Amino acid sequence: MDTPQDFDKEKTRLVLLITEFSKKSTVKTWPNHPLFGYFTPEQWGKMQYKHLDHHLNQFNV
């Protein structure tokens, strides 16, 4: 069973991760995605947005 998490702590952590990711907007070379292969920087950003949006909607956040 998963242990309950502190929502405010996890929210703060998520905001920090999003901020860290957004600061990499000028990175031109990213590692290949393990399943989909090469992504452009723009594709990485869109994929991260859609993935996060999916999970936030999944849990009604």
Side-chain angles (χ1 to χ4, degrees), residues 18-47:
I18 292 169
T19 301
E20 181 181 327
F21 182 79
S22 70
K23 288 179 181 177
K24 296 181 179 187
S25 64
T26 59
V27 173
K28 300 296 181 202
T29 305
W30 288 78
N32 285 345
H33 186 280
L35 184 61
F36 302 119
Y38 175 77
F39 278 178
T40 66
E42 182 179 356
Q43 289 170 321
W44 270 111
K46 287 180 180 180
M47 189 268 301

Side-chain angles (χ1 to χ4, degrees), residues 2-32:
D2 290 337
T3 58
Q5 301 297 315
D6 179 312
F7 181 81
D8 288 329
K9 180 180 173 184
E10 293 300 318
K11 178 181 170 187
T12 299
R13 183 170 174 257
L14 177 59
V15 170
L16 289 173
L17 288 169
I18 292 169
T19 301
E20 181 181 327
F21 182 79
S22 70
K23 288 179 181 177
K24 296 181 179 187
S25 64
T26 59
V27 173
K28 300 296 181 202
T29 305
W30 288 78
N32 285 345

